[in-house]
Amino acid sequence: MCNAKDYLINETAWCPGCGNFAIREALAAALAELELPHHQVLLCSGIGQAAKMPHYIKVNGFNGLHGRALPPAIGARVANTSLKVIVESGDGDTYGEGGNHFIHNIRRNPDIAHFVHNNQIYGLTKGQASPTSETGMKTKVQTAGNILPPFNPLSTALVMGAGFMARCFSGEKDHLKETMKQAIQFPGYALIDILQPCVSFNKLNTYGWYKERVYHPENHDPQNWQAAMELARQWGDEIPLGIFYNVPHETFESHFPTLRGEPLATRPFNPADLSSLQDEFL
């Protein structure tokens, strides 16, 4: 059996006080408490500060192109259905550059847990407005204030048919860990939008700003789509946390009978079996 420290590797390159530290520790604790062996977990990411996570967690890792964390994650999951596949990336990587993949991944519903570090800013490139930045937020680029309304990932996910979606705050690590465990165990695509303060480039949405606003709704039914939508759209003076929706439905993998049984990756393979296909195309 492993403990959380067994999943932590390498020295991090994040700013002191970054919300990513708590997310990393929550993920390591979640993996340990679920007793997931290192070799049975794959962590995929794109580009950004959050996307450095595969370098800091001792499991299989794939660090790919900007906004392209989901396609290799789906491919890996299809090739090896015994893997627990987790995607970790930021709000810019997932909702901006990767927005198209985000939407169509929800339609497919692969068995993947997706943890988005939402700091409402592009941190790696030193502080430009991201898709979730507040209207009016001033940056070094948007010197007169961001003119666009923020993208709402949770209401979008719900409309697109996501079976599991939640919002967490990196300042509440135990709650984040427990929610991660449920997302990893959910049979299908599970999204957690994690509010993560960027202490260097986002001077608006600070730890204090969030702590004055976040709360846990009482008596919420996570099978009630309308109630989940109301929570997903709530933002401002009060920001709800928790699992807003949890209703499993048919996964992408279940559409393919050939994926049942032994994973494709571990089945015997003889290159000579492809000779008929080669002959057909020659």
Side-chain angles (χ1 to χ4, degrees), residues 95 102-103 106-107 151-167 186 189-191 220-234 243-249:
Y95 306 140
F102 173 64
I103 290 171
I106 296 171
R107 293 176 55 230
F151 175 72
N152 187 323
L154 296 184
S155 61
T156 301
L158 199 56
V159 167
M160 293 303 301
F164 183 108
M165 61 96 169
R167 179 187 289 134
F186 181 79
Y189 176 69
L191 170 68
H220 171 63
D221 177 5
Q223 295 188 323
N224 185 326
W225 191 94
Q226 184 62 43
M229 179 58 79
E230 290 175 4
L231 292 176
R233 293 180 60 81
Q234 189 175 356
I243 299 172
F244 297 169
Y245 196 64
N246 185 350
V247 178
H249 58 93

Side-chain angles (χ1 to χ4, degrees), residues 237-270:
D237 292 337
E238 292 188 320
I239 302 175
L241 303 178
I243 299 172
F244 297 169
Y245 196 64
N246 185 350
V247 178
H249 58 93
E250 195 171 29
T251 66
F252 179 70
E253 299 93 309
S254 67
H255 293 287
F256 305 99
T258 190
L259 297 182
R260 296 169 190 162
E262 185 176 354
L264 296 179
T266 57
R267 293 180 193 176
F269 172 67
N270 182 356

Side-chain angles (χ1 to χ4, degrees), residues 22-254:
I23 299 174
R24 177 182 180 238
E25 292 169 4
L27 176 60
L31 296 174
E33 292 183 17
L34 291 174
E35 299 183 8
L36 289 171
H38 303 270
H39 70 280
Q40 287 189 354
V41 179
L42 171 66
L43 198 56
C44 291
S45 71
I47 296 294
Q49 293 291 358
K52 296 176 180 175
M53 192 65 83
H55 302 274
Y56 306 145
I57 296 288
K58 191 178 181 181
V59 296
N60 298 295
F62 184 92
N63 191 180
L65 301 176
H66 206 185
R68 306 293 183 261
L70 283 166
I74 297 172
R77 172 64 192 168
V78 168
N80 190 348
T81 50
S82 69
L83 273 180
K84 282 292 181 183
V85 180
I86 300 169
V87 171
E88 291 234 6
S89 265
D91 46 308
D93 192 57
T94 298
Y95 306 140
E97 284 79 2
N100 186 37
H101 295 302
F102 173 64
I103 290 171
H104 293 287
N105 176 75
I106 296 171
R107 293 176 55 230
R108 296 185 179 99
N109 194 35
D111 193 345
I112 289 173
H114 193 174
F115 304 149
V116 181
H117 304 211
N118 185 357
N119 61 8
Q120 301 172 260
I121 199 80
Y122 280 99
L124 184 69
T125 49
K126 312 302 182 188
Q128 301 81 28
S130 82
T132 55
S133 296
E134 306 275 357
T135 304
M137 180 180 180
K138 293 183 178 179
T139 74
K140 293 179 180 177
V141 175
Q142 289 81 20
T143 54
N146 178 31
I147 62 173
L148 300 177
F151 175 72
N152 187 323
L154 296 184
S155 61
T156 301
L158 199 56
V159 167
M160 293 303 301
F164 183 108
M165 61 96 169
R167 179 187 289 134
C168 291
F169 170 44
S170 65
E172 295 189 11
K173 191 167 61 178
D174 288 341
H175 175 257
L176 173 58
K177 177 197 67 177
E178 293 300 324
T179 308
M180 283 179 162
K181 287 165 61 178
Q182 293 197 49
I184 292 170
Q185 293 177 302
F186 181 79
Y189 176 69
L191 170 68
I192 304 180
D193 187 64
I194 306 169
L195 305 176
Q196 175 242 317
C198 173
V199 295
S200 295
F201 300 108
N202 186 340
K203 303 301 184 184
L204 173 62
N205 309 108
T206 63
Y207 281 100
W209 189 92
Y210 282 120
K211 287 181 178 177
E212 289 178 358
R213 291 165 171 79
V214 296
Y215 77 100
H216 295 266
E218 297 181 355
N219 303 318
H220 171 63
D221 177 5
Q223 295 188 323
N224 185 326
W225 191 94
Q226 184 62 43
M229 179 58 79
E230 290 175 4
L231 292 176
R233 293 180 60 81
Q234 189 175 356
W235 187 266
D237 292 337
E238 292 188 320
I239 302 175
L241 303 178
I243 299 172
F244 297 169
Y245 196 64
N246 185 350
V247 178
H249 58 93
E250 195 171 29
T251 66
F252 179 70
E253 299 93 309
S254 67

